[in-house]
Amino acid sequence: MYSFKTEQGKIFHQLAHWTIRLVPLSFVTGSLVALFLWLLDWATHTRWQHLWLLFLLPLAGMLIWALYHYFGRDAEAGNNLVMDEIHEPGGGVPARMTPLVLLGTIITHLFGGSAGREGTAVQMGGSIADIFAKWYRLKKEDRSVLLMCGMAAGFGAVFGTPVAGALFAMEVLFIGRIKYHALIPCLISAVLADIVCSSYGIIHTHYTIHTKIAQTVTTWIPGFSFDLLLLLKVIGAGIAFGLAGMAFARCTHLLKRGWTRLIPAKWLIPVAGGIVIIGGCYALGNFDYLGLGVVNPNGHNSIVSAFTTGGVDAWSWLWKLLFTAVTLSAGFKGGEVTPLFFIGAALGNTIAVLSGAPADLFAGLGFIAVFAAATNTPVACMVMGVELFGGENILYFAVACFTAYYFSGHSGIYKAQRIAVPKIHRK
Amino acid sequence: MYSFKTEQGKIFHQLAHWTIRLVPLSFVTGSLVALFLWLLDWATHTRWQHLWLLFLLPLAGMLIWALYHYFGRDAEAGNNLVMDEIHEPGGGVPARMTPLVLLGTIITHLFGGSAGREGTAVQMGGSIADIFAKWYRLKKEDRSVLLMCGMAAGFGAVFGTPVAGALFAMEVLFIGRIKYHALIPCLISAVLADIVCSSYGIIHTHYTIHTKIAQTVTTWIPGFSFDLLLLLKVIGAGIAFGLAGMAFARCTHLLKRGWTRLIPAKWLIPVAGGIVIIGGCYALGNFDYLGLGVVNPNGHNSIVSAFTTGGVDAWSWLWKLLFTAVTLSAGFKGGEVTPLFFIGAALGNTIAVLSGAPADLFAGLGFIAVFAAATNTPVACMVMGVELFGGENILYFAVACFTAYYFSGHSGIYKAQRIAVPKIHRK
């Protein structure tokens, strides 16, 4: 028999404790993410108005290299450093990571690098959390939880998906396992940070899947309305999304090693990366694969346009994959997730055209599933699908994300991720 | 570097293997669940038409006792036996569990016991899975996965919520942890079983939350639309749901011990339980708390009516809790989950009335959160909320389920559940 007073009392005490700890963390992280999103918007619009900024990308890369070289070498490891500190608390996440990654990301996007934004948000959240952990004088275990809360806050606020943010922070540390020791703290911080971020007037891009599956179904048994053919197409697409996620992770890792081998002077690597990006734009004859790619001034080849039939070219997903792998491997900042959304949505669109499936649904599936594959976080991505696109298609979200997760193998974009349960059981 | 051919080849091989294994299991489980739901519907309607059947409840209880006593004593442990076999494969789940629990549940519902249906579905799935495991000659580890698939198939089919079914089977075994080794097999079997069950024309009850939160919001910052007061009410309700889930679990366990202590002759326990139920009905002056409680012929005090303002009495949740605890502790069959839905929805309705919150939303939150608390499966219940009520309110689903999970402590309705990560970290 448990003592009611003791057990529930302890739980209440613990909850109150964490809430008090997390309010300032969430407030600061949410505010910083709002500032970041506002700056990012400014950088993106400025680049659209002044296309010549792209030619300064190699110089911008050198500037980012110099920033990290002179002011924060230990912050270079980014997301992996935050994750390593959660696994095994060590030297801590440096406070300077916040200004560095914020500045680095804005520079990357202003001059046309193809990168994301979640890395920035997660790193800001992580480094702010570590400042608070020192102030609170937390023990090792509680410090880990607080760092996870920082990640959850950053992720939840930057995409406006607090539940996915909380699950992401718990799911990303290990392949194949979620532990619930940080369940409530992560949810509190992600929800609060999202509220704070929204309160500054930040409005997240709205995506819509118009296709209603129930209406497109051909029923052959009375009263039975399930589209088995569509399910098979989703499974096939899920395999493709998994392989795309894996291809992105491997491509980035390979290119990173390639640069280091080919170019001995480290400061020259971002310069070379910038030149490759410029060359790529002229080879393709457009600027569609620069920046975040959420929207595009010409209305074509963007995440939003991928939700409409004919909204992206057949190979858009591959170009975005290559542009992003070059950008990030060369040392530019921002993270991988928004480009992964682009790659997935574009690939989904292409698969929909090829297989005669609804383009908006498959764009949405790719959006979350390639991300699930590259980061090994299928449950968080399924929930993100619900938060972004609504819940009617949760079955397809689950099938696509779980299948993609399964087929991406054990390579992911985060080297600090550990394997708890391998995906292959039989030899 | 991973070898693409080997790793992805193995994954594909493993997937194909499991799919072939799971098709017959899902087909049989889905078909049995359809038969069960059809019989259950028949039993419920028959009881409504012939209210005198209630007076035979004590005799019916004796019949169920005799069935288990003479034909399947080892099947008595029910859900806990299936879970124990997954934890540590031993004597196996007996095949006779399927006809016994099916018959026991139909008898319980025909004569007016207050019970659920998920226990029956999960036990049928588990015992069918064990038959297949023996046919396939599976090793220990694969047999565990197949049993989990049986649970997922039963749960997914009986409620028409395949994604929640798959997550439930993975989440229920341990408090505080999900391991992904059965992710894909559980999803395959839950989805297939649900398709099979639906193909017989089974239509699940449809619940709707009409309240659109965005419309009820009072904004005090331009562009900011978040109802902070509502969030606080949801947290408060989540705590109440958690305590209700805990109260149900403890009440059932306590009553079970109470019966054994008071009544030495085991066959007399269900007789006494039946008499208490009949007495309860006459004390309250209604038959609202018998059976599943999904709908009620008088349109009042049911799960469906709890979604409307004034649809349930203020103490409905407590009566259903007591009726169910008496029914199940006395040896009647069926499971706890649908009564937990009732308790939660009714309590949510009461809290909504008291706090001035939308009744349909709070009924929906209670529906999933009391279940999350009593079974310690917050993520599966959140997903179930999305599958049943749609995705717009996923944030409130998460807050309610996670809070309720947290506050229910470590007692749950399943004794075979193990603790992986305790909910209290500080002493």
Side-chain angles (χ1 to χ4, degrees), chain B residues 278-336:
Chain B
I278 297 171
C281 284
Y282 281 89
L284 288 177
N286 66 49
F287 302 102
D288 297 348
Y289 306 107
L290 304 178
L292 279 178
V294 174
V295 283
N296 197 350
N298 68 18
H300 192 64
N301 283 338
S302 69
I303 301 183
V304 169
S305 76
F307 283 77
T308 54
T309 313
V312 293
D313 300 333
W315 294 99
S316 276
W317 66 273
L318 182 64
W319 304 130
K320 187 66 181 175
L321 191 156
L322 294 173
F323 270 75
T324 310
V326 169
T327 303
L328 294 178
S329 63
F332 291 91
K333 299 291 160 191
E336 296 87 350

Coordinates of all heavy atoms in Angstrom, one line a residue, chain B residues 278-336:
Chain B
I278 N -27.3 -5.0 -7.8 CA -28.8 -4.9 -7.9 C -29.2 -3.9 -6.8 O -30.0 -2.9 -7.1 CB -29.5 -6.2 -7.6 CG1 -29.1 -7.2 -8.8 CG2 -31.0 -6.0 -7.5 CD1 -29.6 -8.6 -8.5
G279 N -28.7 -4.0 -5.6 CA -29.0 -3.1 -4.5 C -28.6 -1.7 -4.9 O -29.4 -0.7 -4.6
G280 N -27.4 -1.5 -5.5 CA -27.0 -0.2 -5.9 C -28.0 0.5 -6.9 O -28.3 1.7 -6.8
C281 N -28.4 -0.3 -7.8 CA -29.4 0.2 -8.8 C -30.7 0.7 -8.1 O -31.2 1.8 -8.4 CB -29.8 -0.9 -9.8 SG -28.6 -1.2 -11.0
Y282 N -31.2 0.0 -7.1 CA -32.4 0.4 -6.5 C -32.1 1.6 -5.5 O -33.0 2.4 -5.4 CB -33.1 -0.8 -5.8 CG -33.8 -1.6 -6.9 CD1 -33.2 -2.6 -7.6 CD2 -35.1 -1.2 -7.2 CE1 -33.9 -3.2 -8.6 CE2 -35.8 -1.9 -8.2 CZ -35.2 -2.9 -8.9 OH -35.8 -3.5 -10.0
A283 N -31.0 1.6 -4.9 CA -30.6 2.7 -4.1 C -30.6 4.0 -4.9 O -31.0 5.1 -4.5 CB -29.3 2.5 -3.4
L284 N -30.0 3.9 -6.1 CA -29.9 5.1 -6.9 C -31.2 5.4 -7.7 O -31.4 6.5 -8.2 CB -28.7 5.0 -7.9 CG -27.3 5.1 -7.4 CD1 -26.3 4.8 -8.5 CD2 -27.0 6.4 -6.7
G285 N -32.0 4.4 -7.9 CA -33.2 4.5 -8.6 C -33.0 4.6 -10.1 O -33.9 5.1 -10.8
N286 N -32.0 4.0 -10.6 CA -31.8 3.9 -12.1 C -30.9 2.8 -12.5 O -30.2 2.2 -11.6 CB -31.3 5.3 -12.7 CG -29.9 5.6 -12.2 OD1 -29.0 4.8 -12.2 ND2 -29.7 6.8 -11.7
F287 N -30.8 2.5 -13.8 CA -29.9 1.5 -14.3 C -28.8 2.0 -15.1 O -28.3 1.4 -16.0 CB -30.7 0.4 -15.1 CG -31.9 -0.2 -14.3 CD1 -33.2 0.2 -14.5 CD2 -31.6 -1.2 -13.4 CE1 -34.2 -0.4 -13.8 CE2 -32.6 -1.8 -12.7 CZ -33.9 -1.4 -12.9
D288 N -28.5 3.3 -14.9 CA -27.6 4.0 -15.7 C -26.1 3.5 -15.7 O -25.3 3.8 -16.6 CB -27.6 5.5 -15.4 CG -28.9 6.1 -15.6 OD1 -29.8 5.5 -16.3 OD2 -29.1 7.3 -15.2
Y289 N -25.8 2.8 -14.6 CA -24.3 2.5 -14.4 C -24.1 1.0 -14.7 O -23.0 0.5 -14.3 CB -23.9 2.9 -13.1 CG -24.2 4.4 -12.8 CD1 -25.2 4.8 -12.0 CD2 -23.5 5.3 -13.6 CE1 -25.5 6.1 -11.8 CE2 -23.8 6.7 -13.4 CZ -24.8 7.1 -12.6 OH -25.1 8.4 -12.4
L290 N -25.0 0.4 -15.4 CA -24.8 -1.0 -15.8 C -24.1 -1.1 -17.2 O -24.2 -0.1 -17.9 CB -26.1 -1.8 -15.8 CG -26.9 -1.8 -14.5 CD1 -28.2 -2.5 -14.7 CD2 -26.1 -2.4 -13.4
G291 N -23.5 -2.2 -17.5 CA -23.0 -2.4 -18.8 C -21.9 -1.5 -19.2 O -21.2 -1.0 -18.3
L292 N -21.7 -1.3 -20.5 CA -20.6 -0.5 -21.0 C -20.8 0.9 -20.7 O -19.9 1.7 -20.3 CB -20.5 -0.6 -22.6 CG -19.9 -1.8 -23.2 CD1 -20.0 -1.7 -24.7 CD2 -18.4 -1.9 -22.8
G293 N -22.1 1.4 -20.9 CA -22.3 2.8 -20.6 C -22.0 3.8 -21.8 O -22.0 5.0 -21.6
V294 N -21.8 3.2 -22.9 CA -21.4 4.1 -24.1 C -22.7 4.9 -24.4 O -22.6 6.2 -24.6 CB -21.0 3.3 -25.3 CG1 -20.8 4.2 -26.5 CG2 -19.7 2.6 -25.0
V295 N -23.8 4.3 -24.6 CA -25.1 5.0 -24.7 C -26.1 4.5 -23.7 O -25.8 3.4 -23.1 CB -25.7 4.9 -26.1 CG1 -24.9 5.8 -27.1 CG2 -25.7 3.5 -26.6
N296 N -27.1 5.2 -23.5 CA -28.1 4.8 -22.5 C -29.5 5.1 -23.2 O -29.7 6.1 -23.8 CB -27.9 5.7 -21.3 CG -28.6 5.1 -20.0 OD1 -29.4 4.2 -20.1 ND2 -28.4 5.7 -18.9
P297 N -30.4 4.1 -23.1 CA -31.7 4.3 -23.8 C -32.4 5.6 -23.3 O -33.2 6.2 -24.1 CB -32.5 3.0 -23.4 CG -31.7 2.3 -22.5 CD -30.3 2.8 -22.5
N298 N -32.2 6.0 -22.1 CA -32.9 7.2 -21.7 C -32.2 8.5 -22.0 O -32.6 9.6 -21.7 CB -33.2 7.2 -20.2 CG -32.0 7.3 -19.3 OD1 -30.9 7.7 -19.8 ND2 -32.1 6.9 -18.0
G299 N -31.0 8.4 -22.7 CA -30.3 9.5 -23.2 C -29.5 10.3 -22.2 O -29.0 11.4 -22.4
H300 N -29.4 9.8 -20.9 CA -28.8 10.5 -19.8 C -27.7 9.6 -19.2 O -27.8 8.3 -19.3 CB -29.9 10.8 -18.8 CG -29.4 11.8 -17.8 ND1 -29.0 13.1 -18.1 CD2 -29.2 11.7 -16.4 CE1 -28.6 13.7 -17.0 NE2 -28.8 12.9 -16.0
N301 N -26.7 10.2 -18.5 CA -25.7 9.4 -17.8 C -25.1 8.3 -18.7 O -25.1 7.1 -18.3 CB -26.3 8.8 -16.6 CG -26.4 9.8 -15.5 OD1 -25.8 10.8 -15.5 ND2 -27.3 9.5 -14.5
S302 N -24.5 8.7 -19.8 CA -23.7 7.7 -20.6 C -22.4 8.5 -21.1 O -22.3 9.7 -20.9 CB -24.5 7.3 -21.8 OG -24.7 8.3 -22.7
I303 N -21.5 7.7 -21.8 CA -20.3 8.4 -22.3 C -20.7 9.4 -23.3 O -20.3 10.6 -23.3 CB -19.4 7.4 -22.9 CG1 -18.9 6.3 -21.8 CG2 -18.1 8.1 -23.5 CD1 -17.9 5.3 -22.3
V304 N -21.6 9.1 -24.2 CA -22.0 10.0 -25.3 C -22.7 11.2 -24.7 O -22.4 12.4 -25.1 CB -23.0 9.3 -26.3 CG1 -23.6 10.3 -27.2 CG2 -22.2 8.3 -27.1
S305 N -23.6 11.0 -23.6 CA -24.3 12.2 -23.1 C -23.4 13.1 -22.3 O -23.6 14.3 -22.1 CB -25.5 11.7 -22.2 OG -25.0 11.3 -21.0
A306 N -22.2 12.5 -21.8 CA -21.3 13.3 -21.0 C -20.7 14.5 -21.9 O -20.1 15.4 -21.4 CB -20.2 12.5 -20.5
F307 N -20.8 14.3 -23.2 CA -20.2 15.4 -24.1 C -21.2 16.5 -24.3 O -20.9 17.4 -25.1 CB -19.9 14.7 -25.5 CG -18.6 14.0 -25.5 CD1 -18.5 12.7 -24.9 CD2 -17.4 14.5 -25.9 CE1 -17.3 12.0 -24.9 CE2 -16.2 13.8 -25.9 CZ -16.2 12.5 -25.3
T308 N -22.3 16.5 -23.6 CA -23.3 17.6 -23.7 C -23.4 18.2 -22.3 O -23.4 17.5 -21.3 CB -24.6 17.2 -24.2 OG1 -25.1 16.1 -23.4 CG2 -24.5 16.7 -25.6
T309 N -23.6 19.5 -22.2 CA -23.9 20.2 -20.9 C -25.1 19.6 -20.3 O -26.1 19.4 -20.9 CB -24.0 21.7 -21.1 OG1 -23.0 22.1 -22.0 CG2 -23.9 22.4 -19.8
G310 N -25.0 19.2 -19.0 CA -26.1 18.6 -18.3 C -26.4 17.2 -18.7 O -27.4 16.6 -18.2
G311 N -25.5 16.5 -19.4 CA -25.8 15.2 -19.9 C -25.6 14.1 -18.8 O -26.0 13.0 -19.0
V312 N -24.8 14.5 -17.7 CA -24.6 13.5 -16.7 C -24.9 14.2 -15.3 O -24.8 15.4 -15.2 CB -23.2 12.9 -16.7 CG1 -23.0 12.0 -17.9 CG2 -22.1 14.0 -16.6
D313 N -25.2 13.4 -14.3 CA -25.3 13.9 -13.0 C -23.9 14.3 -12.4 O -22.9 13.8 -12.9 CB -26.0 12.9 -12.0 CG -27.4 12.6 -12.5 OD1 -28.0 13.4 -13.2 OD2 -27.8 11.4 -12.3
A314 N -23.9 15.1 -11.4 CA -22.6 15.6 -10.8 C -21.8 14.4 -10.3 O -20.6 14.5 -10.4 CB -22.9 16.6 -9.7
W315 N -22.4 13.4 -9.7 CA -21.6 12.3 -9.1 C -21.6 11.1 -10.0 O -21.2 10.0 -9.5 CB -22.2 12.0 -7.7 CG -21.9 13.1 -6.8 CD1 -22.8 14.1 -6.4 CD2 -20.7 13.5 -6.1 NE1 -22.2 15.0 -5.5 CE2 -20.9 14.7 -5.4 CE3 -19.4 12.9 -6.2 CZ2 -19.9 15.3 -4.6 CZ3 -18.4 13.6 -5.4 CH2 -18.7 14.7 -4.6
S316 N -22.1 11.2 -11.2 CA -22.1 10.0 -12.1 C -20.7 9.3 -12.1 O -20.7 8.0 -12.1 CB -22.3 10.5 -13.5 OG -23.7 10.6 -13.8
W317 N -19.7 10.1 -12.2 CA -18.3 9.4 -12.3 C -18.1 8.5 -11.1 O -17.5 7.4 -11.2 CB -17.3 10.5 -12.4 CG -17.1 11.4 -11.2 CD1 -17.8 12.5 -10.9 CD2 -16.2 11.2 -10.1 NE1 -17.4 13.1 -9.7 CE2 -16.4 12.3 -9.2 CE3 -15.3 10.2 -9.8 CZ2 -15.7 12.4 -8.0 CZ3 -14.6 10.3 -8.6 CH2 -14.8 11.4 -7.7
L318 N -18.5 9.0 -9.9 CA -18.3 8.2 -8.7 C -19.1 6.9 -8.7 O -18.6 5.8 -8.3 CB -18.6 9.0 -7.4 CG -18.3 8.3 -6.1 CD1 -16.8 8.0 -6.0 CD2 -18.8 9.2 -4.9
W319 N -20.4 7.0 -9.1 CA -21.2 5.8 -9.2 C -20.7 4.8 -10.1 O -20.6 3.6 -9.8 CB -22.7 6.2 -9.5 CG -23.3 7.2 -8.6 CD1 -23.9 8.3 -8.9 CD2 -23.3 7.1 -7.2 NE1 -24.3 9.0 -7.8 CE2 -23.9 8.3 -6.7 CE3 -22.8 6.2 -6.2 CZ2 -24.1 8.6 -5.4 CZ3 -22.9 6.5 -4.9 CH2 -23.6 7.7 -4.4
K320 N -20.2 5.3 -11.3 CA -19.7 4.3 -12.3 C -18.4 3.7 -11.8 O -18.2 2.5 -12.0 CB -19.4 5.1 -13.6 CG -19.0 4.1 -14.8 CD -20.1 3.2 -15.2 CE -19.7 2.3 -16.3 NZ -20.8 1.3 -16.7
L321 N -17.6 4.5 -11.1 CA -16.4 3.9 -10.5 C -16.7 2.8 -9.5 O -16.1 1.7 -9.5 CB -15.6 5.1 -9.7 CG -14.2 4.9 -9.2 CD1 -13.5 6.2 -9.1 CD2 -14.1 4.1 -7.9
L322 N -17.7 3.0 -8.6 CA -18.1 2.0 -7.6 C -18.7 0.8 -8.3 O -18.3 -0.3 -7.9 CB -19.0 2.6 -6.6 CG -18.3 3.7 -5.7 CD1 -19.4 4.4 -4.8 CD2 -17.2 3.2 -4.9
F323 N -19.6 1.0 -9.2 CA -20.3 -0.1 -9.8 C -19.3 -1.0 -10.5 O -19.3 -2.2 -10.5 CB -21.3 0.4 -10.9 CG -22.7 0.6 -10.3 CD1 -23.0 1.7 -9.5 CD2 -23.7 -0.3 -10.6 CE1 -24.3 1.8 -9.0 CE2 -25.0 -0.2 -10.1 CZ -25.3 0.9 -9.3
T324 N -18.3 -0.4 -11.2 CA -17.3 -1.1 -12.0 C -16.3 -1.8 -11.0 O -16.0 -3.0 -11.3 CB -16.5 -0.2 -12.9 OG1 -17.5 0.6 -13.7 CG2 -15.7 -1.0 -13.9
A325 N -15.9 -1.2 -10.0 CA -15.0 -1.8 -9.0 C -15.7 -3.0 -8.4 O -15.0 -4.1 -8.3 CB -14.6 -0.8 -8.0
V326 N -16.9 -2.9 -8.1 CA -17.7 -4.1 -7.5 C -17.7 -5.2 -8.5 O -17.4 -6.3 -8.2 CB -19.1 -3.6 -7.0 CG1 -19.9 -4.9 -6.7 CG2 -19.0 -2.7 -5.8
T327 N -18.2 -4.8 -9.7 CA -18.4 -5.8 -10.8 C -17.1 -6.6 -11.0 O -17.1 -7.9 -11.0 CB -18.8 -5.2 -12.1 OG1 -20.0 -4.5 -11.8 CG2 -19.0 -6.2 -13.2
L328 N -16.0 -5.9 -11.3 CA -14.8 -6.6 -11.7 C -14.1 -7.3 -10.5 O -13.6 -8.4 -10.7 CB -13.8 -5.6 -12.3 CG -14.3 -5.0 -13.7 CD1 -13.3 -4.0 -14.2 CD2 -14.5 -6.1 -14.7
S329 N -14.1 -6.7 -9.3 CA -13.5 -7.3 -8.2 C -14.2 -8.6 -7.8 O -13.6 -9.5 -7.3 CB -13.4 -6.4 -7.0 OG -14.8 -6.1 -6.5
A330 N -15.5 -8.7 -8.1 CA -16.2 -9.9 -7.8 C -16.0 -11.0 -8.8 O -16.6 -12.1 -8.6 CB -17.7 -9.6 -7.7
G331 N -15.3 -10.8 -9.9 CA -15.0 -11.9 -10.8 C -15.7 -11.8 -12.1 O -15.5 -12.7 -12.9
F332 N -16.5 -10.7 -12.4 CA -17.1 -10.6 -13.7 C -16.0 -10.2 -14.7 O -14.9 -9.8 -14.3 CB -18.2 -9.6 -13.7 CG -19.4 -10.1 -12.9 CD1 -19.5 -9.8 -11.5 CD2 -20.4 -10.8 -13.5 CE1 -20.6 -10.2 -10.8 CE2 -21.5 -11.3 -12.8 CZ -21.6 -11.0 -11.5
K333 N -16.3 -10.3 -16.0 CA -15.2 -10.2 -17.0 C -15.5 -9.0 -17.9 O -16.6 -8.5 -18.1 CB -15.2 -11.5 -17.9 CG -14.8 -12.7 -17.1 CD -13.4 -12.7 -16.6 CE -13.2 -13.6 -15.4 NZ -11.9 -13.5 -14.7
G334 N -14.5 -8.6 -18.7 CA -14.6 -7.6 -19.7 C -13.5 -6.5 -19.8 O -13.2 -6.1 -20.8
G335 N -13.0 -6.2 -18.6 CA -12.0 -5.2 -18.6 C -12.4 -3.9 -18.1 O -13.6 -3.7 -17.7
E336 N -11.5 -2.9 -17.9 CA -11.7 -1.7 -17.2 C -11.9 -0.5 -18.1 O -12.3 0.6 -17.6 CB -10.6 -1.4 -16.2 CG -10.4 -2.5 -15.2 CD -9.5 -3.6 -15.6 OE1 -9.2 -3.7 -16.8 OE2 -9.1 -4.4 -14.7

